[in-house]
């Protein structure tokens, strides 16, 4: 799916543009984005990683660290991601 839509800029993806606006407003805070569909989660993850290469957007969003956590991620890696996101709750 990602290959089919990667040519679409986020200026043509209203929901993605709204997500970027929301992330800009939440700059510096921890944010979880949930999706029912794994392909959608991976699309958002890949799109954010690519877009964060642009310094202007990275600065606007506060240089966030972005991770994707789905059924394709090994259990050990999932636990590490959760522990980094919420270290006190992971103990």
């Amino acid at each position: 799916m990602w290959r089919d839509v990667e040519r679409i800029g986020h200026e043509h993806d209203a929901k993605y543009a709204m997500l970027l606006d929301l992330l800009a407003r939440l700059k510096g805070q921890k944010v979880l984005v949930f999706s029912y569909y794994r392909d959608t989660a991976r699309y958002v993850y890949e799109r954010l990683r690519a877009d964060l290469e642009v310094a202007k957007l990275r600065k606007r969003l506060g240089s966030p660290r972005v991770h994707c956590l789905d059924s394709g991620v090994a259990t050990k890696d999932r636990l590490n991601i959760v522990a980094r996101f919420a270290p006190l709750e992971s103990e």
Side-chain angles (χ1 to χ4, degrees), residues 5-36:
V5 296
E6 73 179 326
R7 293 181 304 268
I8 301 171
H10 66 264
E11 63 277 359
H12 300 293
D13 184 340
K15 289 180 182 178
Y16 181 75
M18 288 174 61
L19 174 63
L20 291 181
D21 289 341
L22 180 61
L23 291 174
R25 286 186 294 188
L26 296 171
K27 183 178 178 176
Q29 297 183 48
K30 292 183 177 185
V31 176
L32 285 173
V33 178
F34 290 91
S35 173
Y36 183 80

Side-chain angles (χ1 to χ4, degrees), residues 59-71:
K59 183 178 178 182
R60 178 179 168 226
L61 299 182
S63 299
R65 288 178 285 174
V66 179
H67 301 280
C68 186
L69 185 64
D70 62 32
S71 61

Side-chain angles (χ1 to χ4, degrees), residues 33-86:
V33 178
F34 290 91
S35 173
Y36 183 80
Y37 297 102
R38 182 170 47 182
D39 285 342
T40 301
R42 289 181 179 175
Y43 161 75
V44 171
Y45 171 71
E46 294 295 335
R47 189 47 137 316
L48 274 172
R49 284 185 47 125
D51 286 351
L52 287 171
E53 295 297 320
V54 177
K56 184 177 178 181
L57 180 62
R58 189 172 54 249
K59 183 178 178 182
R60 178 179 168 226
L61 299 182
S63 299
R65 288 178 285 174
V66 179
H67 301 280
C68 186
L69 185 64
D70 62 32
S71 61
V73 176
T75 303
K76 178 183 172 187
D77 295 332
R78 280 190 229 170
L79 294 173
N80 288 333
I81 292 169
V82 170
R84 284 193 307 264
F85 184 82

